[in-house]
Amino acid sequence: MAASLLNPRTIKKTTLYLTFRLFPNTSFSSYSLFSSLCRRFHPISSPSQNQTQKPPSPKKVPFTVSVLGRTWEDPYHWMRNTNDPDFIEYLSQENSYAEEFMADTQKIRRTLFSEMKSRMPAEVSTPPERWGPWLYYQHIPEGKEYPVLCRRVATEQKGWAKTVINYLSGGGFEREEILLDWNEIAEQYGYVHVGTCRVSPDHNFLAYTLDITGSEKFMLQIKDLTTGHILPKLRVDGVVSLAWAQDGCTLFYTVSDENQRSYRVLCTKLGSDSMFDVPVFTENDSSFFVDIASTKDGKFITVNSNSRTSSEVYTIDASNPQDGLQKLRKRVPGVKYFVEHHCGFFYILTNASLSEDKELSTGNYYLGRLRVEDTHLDNWQDIILPSEGSSLQDMDIFNGHLVLFIGEKDSTQICSINLPIDVNCKHCLEVDDLAPWFFPLPSNLCTFSPGSNHDFMSSVYRVVLSSPAMADVIVDYDMSSLTFSIVHKEEVLGVSATSGSFSQTSETEVNEFLDTSKDNQKRVRNDEVWTWKDFSDAYLCERKEVISCDGVGVPLTIVYSRTTHKKDQSPGLLLGYGAYGEVLDKSWSSDRLSLLDRGWVVAFADVRGGAGFDPSWHKSGTGLHKLNSIHDFVSCGKYLVNKGYVHTYKLGAVGDSAGSLLVGAAINMYPELFRAAILKVPFLDMCNTLLDPTLPLTILDYEEFGNPQIRPQLESILHYSPYDNIPERVCCPPVLVKASFHDSRVGVWEAAKWVAKVRDTTCSSCSCSVILKTNMSGGHFGEGGRFGHCEEMSYEYAFLMKAMGIWDQRMP
């Protein structure tokens, strides 16, 4: 899409398709429980058998919260002041306590780290992607933590496949140019987070945003690619998104306000003598934020002002940027627009009403079209509707092809349609009326992510395919010849993948592809035999539908080892997110093998509030309906236990950011169901956070979670808010809470307050096994590259094993 909503409490998704989490087989470990004073299935009654340190006890300061006639006490409200020396000291004490708690896991952590690192190849690289005369790619050099963005001039060889082969073999290219090295930045500042990278249309400049503190206050950097020097420009902080005009020297960018809301668009001209950049657009409504993007053909820049549920779109002629803004569609509550351009038409993906009055939302998306010169008119041509039983989820556009992402009840498909579409068509068409080519996908697919696909003139669409049982595969789909080729397979050292070789004439091939339409396989033409490699002989990936408490079916994906899993005995881990309409990441993760090979089950609950077949799945898990998300998650946990996938007393849960709200609320409601949990940069103190509109991103979240200044929404939030519903004197499970001091999305105090209150409220013996580990130098996304990632995961897995009473007999 040309624009996307910023999800403030979500974990960043990688846009650098580097595969660098790789590992070997290990055997099932033994269970070794020791007695508990509290409950028979809780093996940790104290932090460590040899530990002497007691949990920290922070000070309490009287504070009364009052809203809409309701009052309650919050003695840890003082932690909101992160400059308070007492708070810094408290976090230090918690870190020391966590270190001592985890002291007896050092051996298993070393073992896990060694496994994870051993599965990584020395270097990892993306296949080159052509854009104009250049091939762009990224790689992580041997021994380095972070990626390097590079390019080479493409040679004029016949056939794209030969280009890739020549590149991989190291021949046929001119000198490599390093555009941006994350490692150099990390060495200089100790922290690196590159937000956005944009190469100018003439390929002479690289504009990017850089955070060197973890606070997500990104500064704009512009590099002259002909000289390799950073331009000596007035420093601009708080930059979020970037877009180039066609002249290659006019750059538009957005900046954020004191609440980190992207609200203003400015324009700078490289080489200009002016010390001040020109304001282009300002969004004064604090419930909306601004995003900018270039259309695929580079002819327009779109200025998109978005709330959670509504959008307003303006366009700028990229060849004459001084002409200013042209409003494409006015703001309508509940209606969103996403815009692309092709040959004089704006293509608009929208959920507006299909009637004459478009000031209504149908909920589902369809595709409209509008001539560029007719933007002043109120109507556009409705051209493509989803077929019955499906929904349009996204689009991309090329000179000769339109790419559509189509949701169906059990899967999402990708298809291409030839362009241009008949200009004179008078009636809406369904996708199937336009002879779509549905991309062949492996049957075990769970996730796919588009590549960068920069080149508007290309007929090739790049996709990254993955599943819990299939390492990342990068596939190029040639939309002109209706063929596809695998250009990259993630290398996993020490693990043997099974493979099946399929050709179009193979009788078994149809069963190996995700069936996208009854005639799809007849339209696929491949002259070569291609190989999908997966680990299905070793790891079984199942998809189930779990009936939630109100009768709604919830998708649950379950992965486990065929050899080490033991029915009714294995430990398990349930992951969930359930917010902002985000897709739960179910892609391949080689670090996960260190659990699967020890007999663990890992499951993914696609609860309401996350992404679904159509927008109603998200809506049914937001606001007054948020409890649906929590009940869905609990139902999935009970299913794993009741069906024997997981031992009754060995189910753990993991939540990231807003996903921690889901897990924290589930633990409060059903503490007996979960044996352990990990809450990462957790959104737990949601009522107090939403009551403070001065905090970053709070106002934007009213449409997602509700506004506690409105009585029904306040009552709803107080019914499940994790911090406000900790049950008294119950035996809580062990919980690892991970926070970051400079987190601007979820305040570090949310984790600290929750841990302190758990220790106050629940069983004093059990709550000793709730630990808080704070990264004092990082932000919401942490820090560290691929080896740092291994250290973090080995720590988390070791905590889970300790909490479950599972120790590895093979440890030295």
Side-chain angles (χ1 to χ4, degrees):
M1 291 182 180
S4 61
L5 294 181
L6 173 68
N7 297 327
R9 312 206 192 271
T10 187
I11 295 296
K12 177 183 63 175
K13 290 182 172 57
T14 179
T15 56
L16 311 176
Y17 295 107
L18 294 170
T19 51
F20 53 82
R21 298 169 301 192
L22 312 162
F23 323 49
N25 292 319
T26 52
S27 61
F28 184 70
S29 61
S30 62
Y31 296 110
S32 175
L33 301 181
F34 53 88
S35 63
S36 168
L37 298 176
C38 298
R39 54 185 182 183
R40 61 186 176 87
F41 59 89
H42 192 327
I44 303 180
S45 57
S46 62
S48 173
Q49 289 173 309
N50 300 318
Q51 183 165 342
T52 58
Q53 185 175 345
K54 293 182 179 180
S57 181
K59 70 181 182 183
K60 295 182 180 180
V61 178
F63 185 86
T64 301
V65 183
S66 298
V67 57
L68 298 177
R70 292 196 57 164
T71 62
W72 62 90
E73 296 301 314
D74 184 11
Y76 298 116
H77 180 83
W78 65 272
M79 293 184 182
R80 292 281 293 276
N81 180 10
T82 56
N83 294 319
D84 188 329
D86 289 343
F87 184 59
I88 305 294
E89 176 60 24
Y90 170 62
L91 295 181
S92 177
Q93 292 172 2
E94 287 287 1
N95 278 344
S96 296
Y97 181 74
E99 184 177 354
E100 187 170 354
F101 181 96
M102 293 292 288
D104 57 356
T105 67
Q106 289 183 3
K107 288 184 178 180
I108 184 61
R109 280 151 59 188
R110 287 196 297 267
T111 298
L112 292 168
F113 177 81
S114 177
E115 290 175 10
M116 296 175 187
K117 187 176 179 181
S118 70
R119 291 168 185 155
M120 294 179 177
E123 296 185 62
V124 290
S125 179
T126 63
E129 186 167 349
R130 185 161 187 162
W131 181 21
W134 294 93
L135 289 169
Y136 288 88
Y137 55 98
Q138 299 163 27
H139 76 280
I140 300 180
E142 184 173 358
K144 296 294 186 179
E145 286 268 359
Y146 301 101
V148 179
L149 175 62
C150 305
R151 71 180 181 184
R152 294 178 186 269
V153 175
T155 57
E156 296 300 324
Q157 295 193 21
K158 186 178 181 181
W160 173 245
K162 289 186 177 180
T163 303
V164 174
I165 292 171
N166 281 348
Y167 165 76
L168 295 176
S169 65
F173 288 92
E174 300 202 10
R175 181 179 57 86
E176 175 181 88
E177 293 185 15
I178 295 178
L179 308 186
L180 188 62
D181 188 338
W182 277 251
N183 299 283
E184 290 183 356
I185 301 171
E187 290 172 7
Q188 182 178 358
Y189 297 104
Y191 180 90
V192 56
H193 180 182
V194 176
T196 303
C197 287
R198 293 289 182 269
V199 177
S200 62
D202 57 10
H203 304 270
N204 289 331
F205 296 97
L206 171 67
Y208 61 97
T209 60
L210 181 63
D211 173 21
I212 56 174
T213 66
S215 64
E216 290 189 75
K217 294 180 180 178
F218 292 91
M219 60 180 174
L220 175 63
Q221 301 273 272
I222 302 175
K223 184 176 182 179
D224 186 336
L225 299 181
T226 61
T227 66
H229 296 141
I230 302 296
L231 297 186
K233 175 183 167 54
L234 182 68
R235 176 171 171 155
V236 182
D237 289 324
V239 176
V240 180
S241 54
L242 307 169
W244 289 97
Q246 284 188 335
D247 60 10
C249 61
T250 302
L251 178 68
F252 293 85
Y253 62 92
T254 61
V255 293
S256 54
D257 60 16
E258 64 277 5
N259 286 340
Q260 290 191 250
R261 176 181 70 95
S262 178
Y263 79 109
R264 177 172 290 173
V265 180
L266 295 101
C267 176
T268 187
K269 183 89 169 181
L270 304 188
S272 170
D273 294 332
S274 173
M275 293 294 293
F276 300 100
D277 295 340
V278 179
V280 175
F281 175 82
T282 300
E283 176 55 76
N284 294 314
D285 188 330
S286 58
S287 63
F288 281 73
F289 62 92
V290 181
D291 171 74
I292 56 172
S294 298
T295 57
K296 176 64 74 69
D297 60 4
K299 293 186 176 181
F300 290 89
I301 294 165
T302 59
V303 176
N304 315 283
S305 185
N306 305 304
S307 72
R308 291 272 167 245
T309 59
S310 307
S311 58
E312 186 171 67
V313 181
Y314 299 80
T315 63
I316 298 172
D317 186 339
S319 62
N320 295 291
Q322 67 278 1
D323 287 353
L325 294 170
Q326 174 70 50
K327 183 182 289 188
L328 186 63
R329 273 294 177 268
K330 66 180 179 180
R331 184 175 303 168
V332 176
V335 175
K336 296 182 184 179
Y337 310 102
F338 303 96
V339 179
E340 262 296 352
H341 176 262
H342 182 273
C343 294
F345 285 92
F346 288 123
Y347 283 74
I348 306 164
L349 186 65
T350 182
N351 62 344
S353 171
L354 282 166
S355 66
E356 290 296 321
D357 180 11
K358 289 194 167 57
E359 296 195 8
L360 293 170
S361 170
T362 63
N364 291 329
Y365 286 84
Y366 64 93
L367 197 64
R369 186 170 65 176
L370 177 69
R371 290 184 184 275
V372 170
E373 60 268 23
D374 293 338
T375 52
H376 62 285
L377 300 178
D378 291 332
N379 295 319
W380 62 67
Q381 181 185 24
D382 307 320
I383 57 169
I384 301 180
L385 303 178
S387 302
E388 184 176 355
S390 65
S391 64
L392 297 187
Q393 297 180 336
D394 207 345
M395 70 168 173
D396 202 346
I397 206 160
F398 294 80
N399 183 54
H401 306 279
L402 172 69
V403 177
L404 296 176
F405 290 68
I406 301 175
E408 298 180 348
K409 182 172 174 53
D410 297 321
S411 63
T412 299
Q413 314 296 338
I414 319 174
C415 73
S416 64
I417 293 169
N418 291 338
L419 291 177
I421 296 172
D422 182 7
V423 177
N424 298 315
C425 61
K426 301 295 183 183
H427 305 287
C428 293
L429 300 172
E430 291 190 355
V431 172
D432 287 344
D433 297 328
L434 295 166
W437 178 49
F438 284 87
F439 297 175
L441 303 171
S443 60
N444 63 355
L445 176 68
C446 283
T447 67
F448 52 75
S449 304
S452 54
N453 293 305
H454 282 300
D455 198 337
F456 176 73
M457 300 306 297
S458 177
S459 64
V460 173
Y461 192 75
R462 176 164 292 181
V463 182
V464 183
L465 308 179
S466 184
S467 88
M470 184 180 78
D472 290 0
V473 175
I474 301 179
V475 183
D476 281 352
Y477 291 94
D478 191 318
M479 298 175 287
S480 294
S481 63
L482 307 188
T483 61
F484 67 98
S485 58
I486 297 173
V487 295
H488 178 81
K489 301 172 189 175
E490 177 176 346
E491 184 181 6
V492 185
L493 300 181
V495 183
S496 298
T498 59
S499 63
S501 296
F502 316 126
S503 68
Q504 188 55 29
T505 59
S506 168
E507 183 128 351
T508 62
E509 181 183 11
V510 175
N511 295 326
E512 299 294 343
F513 285 115
L514 194 60
D515 188 14
T516 53
S517 79
K518 61 183 179 181
D519 297 321
N520 182 52
Q521 298 306 320
K522 297 178 183 178
R523 296 198 293 269
V524 180
R525 296 194 299 272
N526 266 7
D527 296 328
E528 299 183 58
V529 175
W530 298 101
T531 302
W532 306 102
K533 279 193 175 182
D534 62 26
F535 299 90
S536 56
D537 276 2
Y539 308 103
L540 190 62
C541 184
E542 300 177 354
R543 274 167 276 190
K544 304 292 183 180
E545 184 176 79
V546 176
I547 304 304
S548 193
C549 61
D550 58 355
V552 172
V554 180
L556 179 66
T557 302
I558 308 168
V559 60
Y560 56 91
S561 168
R562 292 181 183 271
T563 57
T564 61
H565 174 257
K566 295 185 179 179
K567 184 176 174 63
D568 294 318
Q569 296 183 40
S570 284
L573 199 58
L574 180 62
L575 291 78
Y577 189 73
Y580 305 111
E582 283 287 332
V583 176
L584 179 63
D585 184 11
K586 298 183 288 292
S587 59
W588 170 260
S589 175
S590 54
D591 57 40
R592 198 178 294 134
L593 300 187
S594 288
L595 291 182
L596 298 178
D597 291 341
R598 288 172 168 83
W600 287 66
V601 174
V602 179
F604 307 84
D606 283 300
V607 304
R608 280 171 282 186
F613 157 63
D614 61 36
S616 66
W617 192 255
H618 169 225
K619 190 173 182 180
S620 61
T622 63
L624 297 176
H625 308 292
K626 187 59 187 175
L627 271 172
N628 287 337
S629 302
I630 301 159
H631 289 311
D632 291 352
F633 190 76
V634 169
S635 296
C636 288
K638 290 180 176 179
Y639 180 91
L640 292 172
V641 171
N642 294 337
K643 296 298 182 179
Y645 286 98
V646 176
H647 188 285
T648 303
Y649 301 135
K650 292 169 184 169
L651 176 63
V654 176
D656 285 345
S657 199
S660 294
L661 183 163
L662 180 75
V663 175
I667 291 173
N668 286 343
M669 295 177 185
Y670 297 91
E672 297 284 320
L673 179 60
F674 299 98
R675 174 64 176 283
I678 299 176
L679 307 177
K680 299 191 272 192
V681 288
F683 184 35
L684 299 169
D685 187 20
M686 59 179 303
C687 188
N688 287 313
T689 293
L690 294 172
L691 280 170
D692 188 351
T694 67
L695 289 175
L697 308 170
T698 288
I699 294 175
L700 295 174
D701 266 348
Y702 287 160
E703 289 181 302
E704 182 69 23
F705 301 107
N707 183 349
Q709 298 289 354
I710 300 172
R711 187 173 299 279
Q713 297 177 32
L714 171 66
E715 298 299 329
S716 173
I717 291 167
L718 286 177
H719 191 60
Y720 64 84
S721 171
Y723 181 70
D724 298 296
N725 289 278
I726 298 170
E728 295 186 6
R729 294 182 294 279
V730 302
C731 292
C732 66
V735 183
L736 167 60
V737 184
K738 301 177 70 177
S740 289
F741 188 76
H742 295 293
D743 193 338
S744 61
R745 301 193 181 209
V746 183
V748 62
W749 59 83
E750 296 207 27
K753 290 176 65 178
W754 186 85
V755 169
K757 190 172 180 181
V758 164
R759 300 240 184 84
D760 273 351
T761 308
T762 65
C763 166
S764 59
S765 294
C766 292
S767 64
C768 289
S769 298
V770 175
I771 63 173
L772 173 62
K773 184 174 183 283
T774 303
N775 180 345
M776 298 302 293
S777 61
H780 192 70
F781 303 126
E783 58 184 278
R786 57 175 182 161
F787 302 127
H789 171 81
C790 292
E791 290 180 352
E792 289 296 314
M793 296 311 299
S794 63
Y795 189 96
E796 293 177 17
Y797 288 178
F799 173 84
L800 292 170
M801 292 176 183
K802 178 183 173 89
M804 299 288 184
I806 302 169
W807 300 95
D808 194 334
Q809 289 182 328
R810 297 172 299 99
M811 286 193 301

